[in-house]
Amino acid sequence: MKKRVWSGTAGIVLTLAVAVTAGCGNKNENGAAAATGGTSPSAQSSQSVQSTQASQSASASPAESSPAADQVKKIVVGTGTQFPKVAFLDEKGKLTGFDVELVKEIDERLAGYEFELQTMDFGNLLLSLETKKIDFVAHEMEKNPEREQKYLFNKEPYAHWRNKIIVAKDNDAIHSLDDLAGKKVLTGATSAEAQILENYNKEHDKKINIVYQNGAANDTVNQVSTGRVDATLGADFALPLIDPQGKLKTVGDDLSEADILFVFRKDDPESRQLADDIDGAIKQLKADGTLGNLSKQWLGQDFTADTVK
């Protein structure tokens, strides 16, 4: 019988202890209860034979429909805990969110794999992939040319987003990247938004002052709203998730748009096979409406249908 394992890393072992316990379960959970009553010995004997036959039949069924335990491949999935509604710890300490629940749904549909979620700082996800501590990354990772040079992406997007400039609600001076030149802009190291800022600085003499951080979403909102930094960049769907009180706003045109996919090791045949298998599961989730429903549940609307043309 195949088990799912949702666990964490050393940095948050105590917090995730609850998450591990709450998340563990079996893909095929079968239970049986027997009660003995005032039956005759012959009836009991007959029941015993029938019970044995039923037990043998039941034990044979999973073997016929599911891979043997030694044929199930363990896959470690890297994600974070600081992205509200995407990958975060709820009030009970349980790891959940759109990407987390999507990984669980995919795991349910891939009998040949056993997924284990490992949590870490966002900035360590790609490094952990390169050093083979994890097998793929699930954290709303957009595909861009810089990442494509180093990593493998699956082909079937599970979401789509557009990056925007985000400023304090009362800031009417910033509308474009040019307006950010000479100003402090907060972003996560190794993020797609950081790449946008870094590319701008490569092409312009007057640079944007990029402030890298690995802090939580509420820290980002606080730094921008209090003026410690002038702006940040973020996906269109993310602002209401990280700023439910409406302290910030998006401005200007879309800076980029991208498909959201999982990230794997490049030039690795096993990673390619895993990515292809995951694509098959995502297609099923799209076809039966599960993916769209997950997006509505966690992100507020369906961000899964649009794709980069």
Side-chain angles (χ1 to χ4, degrees):
M1 186 174 291
K2 178 181 163 189
K3 293 184 178 180
R4 292 183 308 186
V5 182
W6 317 125
S7 63
T9 53
I12 52 173
V13 168
L14 182 59
T15 316
L16 281 180
V18 178
V20 174
T21 304
C24 290
N26 292 334
K27 287 197 175 182
N28 300 305
E29 294 180 354
N30 299 315
T36 57
T39 54
S40 66
S42 60
Q44 290 177 356
S45 175
S46 175
Q47 290 173 349
S48 176
V49 171
Q50 293 172 356
S51 176
T52 301
Q53 291 173 339
S55 175
Q56 290 172 344
S57 176
S59 63
S61 179
E64 294 170 357
S65 58
S66 303
D70 59 356
Q71 294 177 327
V72 175
K73 185 175 180 60
K74 180 179 177 181
I75 299 297
V76 182
V77 187
T79 192
T81 62
Q82 303 293 327
F83 199 157
K85 302 297 183 179
V86 170
F88 71 105
L89 300 175
D90 67 13
E91 65 278 2
K92 296 181 180 180
K94 178 184 176 182
L95 179 65
T96 190
F98 176 61
D99 280 44
V100 173
E101 299 307 322
L102 174 58
V103 167
K104 293 179 182 179
E105 286 285 352
I106 293 172
D107 188 24
E108 292 287 349
R109 297 176 188 235
L110 295 179
Y113 297 99
E114 175 188 315
F115 287 0
E116 174 187 332
L117 281 160
Q118 289 279 348
T119 59
M120 58 193 69
D121 289 340
F122 176 82
N124 292 330
L125 285 169
L126 293 176
L127 178 61
S128 296
L129 180 65
E130 293 172 15
T131 56
K132 298 187 178 182
K133 293 179 181 177
I134 60 176
D135 297 301
F136 74 91
V137 177
H139 200 279
E140 289 292 307
M141 303 292 283
E142 71 172 66
K143 182 170 72 171
N144 58 35
E146 292 80 11
R147 284 177 175 168
E148 278 192 287
Q149 291 178 7
K150 297 182 65 176
Y151 307 105
L152 170 70
F153 289 81
N154 65 301
K155 297 175 182 177
E156 191 71 22
Y158 66 90
H160 181 87
W161 72 17
R162 294 168 175 81
N163 280 307
K164 307 276 287 188
I165 297 172
I166 298 173
V167 298
K169 194 172 184 178
D170 59 356
N171 187 332
D172 296 322
I174 294 173
H175 302 280
S176 68
L177 287 176
D178 288 336
D179 295 332
L180 295 177
K183 293 182 169 59
K184 293 181 179 179
V185 181
L186 191 68
T187 191
T190 76
S191 68
E193 292 82 5
Q195 193 69 61
I196 293 172
L197 298 170
E198 291 162 1
N199 288 344
Y200 180 91
N201 281 352
K202 289 177 184 178
E203 299 169 0
H204 296 81
D205 294 331
K206 191 174 182 182
K207 311 296 185 184
I208 296 171
N209 184 359
I210 304 173
V211 180
Y212 296 98
Q213 65 130 23
N214 283 316
N218 58 355
D219 181 59
T220 298
V221 174
N222 184 54
Q223 289 204 54
V224 177
S225 63
T226 59
R228 282 187 286 163
V229 297
D230 298 286
T232 187
L233 306 186
D236 50 1
F237 77 85
L239 185 56
L241 305 183
I242 69 172
D243 179 34
Q245 296 180 340
K247 296 180 180 181
L248 310 180
K249 65 181 180 180
T250 60
V251 295
D253 297 329
D254 297 340
L255 301 177
S256 68
E257 61 174 313
D259 290 331
I260 305 305
L261 302 132
F262 298 119
V263 189
F264 305 79
R265 279 185 294 278
K266 199 168 186 177
D267 301 322
D268 182 334
E270 291 188 356
S271 291
R272 179 72 271 171
Q273 183 61 57
L274 173 61
D276 289 344
D277 292 340
I278 286 175
D279 278 336
I282 293 174
K283 288 177 181 178
Q284 291 179 6
L285 291 164
K286 285 182 176 180
D288 66 18
T290 301
L291 184 61
N293 289 335
L294 280 174
S295 180
K296 292 174 186 176
Q297 175 187 351
W298 292 104
L299 308 181
Q301 67 184 79
D302 189 354
F303 289 96
T304 69
D306 199 5
T307 57
V308 173
K309 302 297 186 288

